[in-house]
Amino acid sequence: MNKIDPKLIQSFAPTGILRVGINLGNPVLAGLDAVSQKPKGISIDIANEIGKRSGIPVELIPFQSAGATVDAIKTGNIDLVFVAIDPVRGADVSYTPPYIQIEGAYMVKADSPLKTNEEVDRSSVEIVVGKGSAYDLFLTREIKNAAILHAASSQAVIDDFMAGKGNVAAGVKQQLESDAKRYQGLRMLPGRFMVINQAIGIPKARSEYEKTTAYLSSIITDLKSSGFVAESMKRHNIQGAKVAD
């Protein structure tokens, strides 16, 4: 099943090794093992399965943000990434169907007058978000009145926020909740401001990218229907996300 056409290998993995960008900035997708300090998570499980089915050795290349992984794929330094589907990135990146859906949320100080997501887009609001993240791209398009302030990465958002930058923090709900445990006096606004579809992306600059995307899409479809993705989420204790439709 899903056997790759040998003619595609040169386009898919031109070095003979499948170089996979791993975004450590999103804890839903990946993190570091406490003992080995090697990447672990659902994106690593899927990457290794693709390599197994394709007969190509896999090299995991960690990055601290989604934006950095996309930059690397644009320059040809990696062959495959796990990132949120976004039309801006889509100019250079070809996507498979999504394999998982996660939520973007807002966090505020406990004494903030803001109570709902709808109240955030005001001229008096400054939203701190990781530069180049899916949330940054989305909010830049959708926010009309509030200001967007950039943190260096998604992991830096809460620290910048607590240091006095902005009055709303935006990001992956799980990331914000985890980071907020280091501080007191924070609360999450109820619900979500966006749903993020996470997919595999490959560079459109490659000659056979359409055929490669179709090949990877068939694998993702199979991994979802077979229960592979759900089992991986359970094994890595992923909360607040679901297998994409």
Side-chain angles (χ1 to χ4, degrees), residues 25-105:
N26 186 337
V28 176
L29 305 184
L32 293 178
D33 184 88
V35 177
S36 69
Q37 289 299 296
K38 292 182 179 180
K40 67 172 185 177
I42 184 172
S43 57
I44 287 83
D45 292 348
I46 293 175
N48 287 330
E49 184 66 16
I50 290 170
K52 177 182 175 181
R53 296 188 183 201
S54 305
I56 305 172
V58 172
E59 178 185 5
L60 302 175
I61 304 175
F63 293 86
Q64 296 303 314
S65 70
T69 65
V70 174
D71 288 343
I73 208 168
K74 289 179 182 178
T75 60
N77 293 331
I78 56 178
D79 307 309
L80 181 154
V81 292
F82 293 86
V83 291
I85 296 174
D86 184 88
V88 174
R89 293 173 179 162
D92 302 289
V93 178
S94 178
Y95 297 108
T96 66
Y99 61 92
I100 193 174
Q101 290 180 328
I102 60 179
E103 298 178 330

Side-chain angles (χ1 to χ4, degrees), residues 111-168:
D111 60 358
S112 171
L114 299 173
K115 303 297 182 184
T116 68
N117 292 325
E118 291 74 23
E119 295 175 306
V120 170
D121 193 7
R122 295 175 174 176
S123 59
S124 59
V125 172
E126 294 179 329
I127 306 169
V128 185
V129 65
K131 184 176 177 60
S133 66
Y135 323 100
D136 179 20
L137 299 175
F138 176 85
L139 293 171
T140 297
R141 288 194 303 271
E142 300 297 326
I143 291 294
K144 307 303 180 186
N145 301 301
I148 306 294
L149 305 181
H150 291 121
S153 66
S154 295
Q155 301 100 308
V157 167
I158 289 296
D159 289 337
D160 283 6
F161 182 56
M162 295 305 293
K165 192 172 188 175
N167 48 14
V168 174

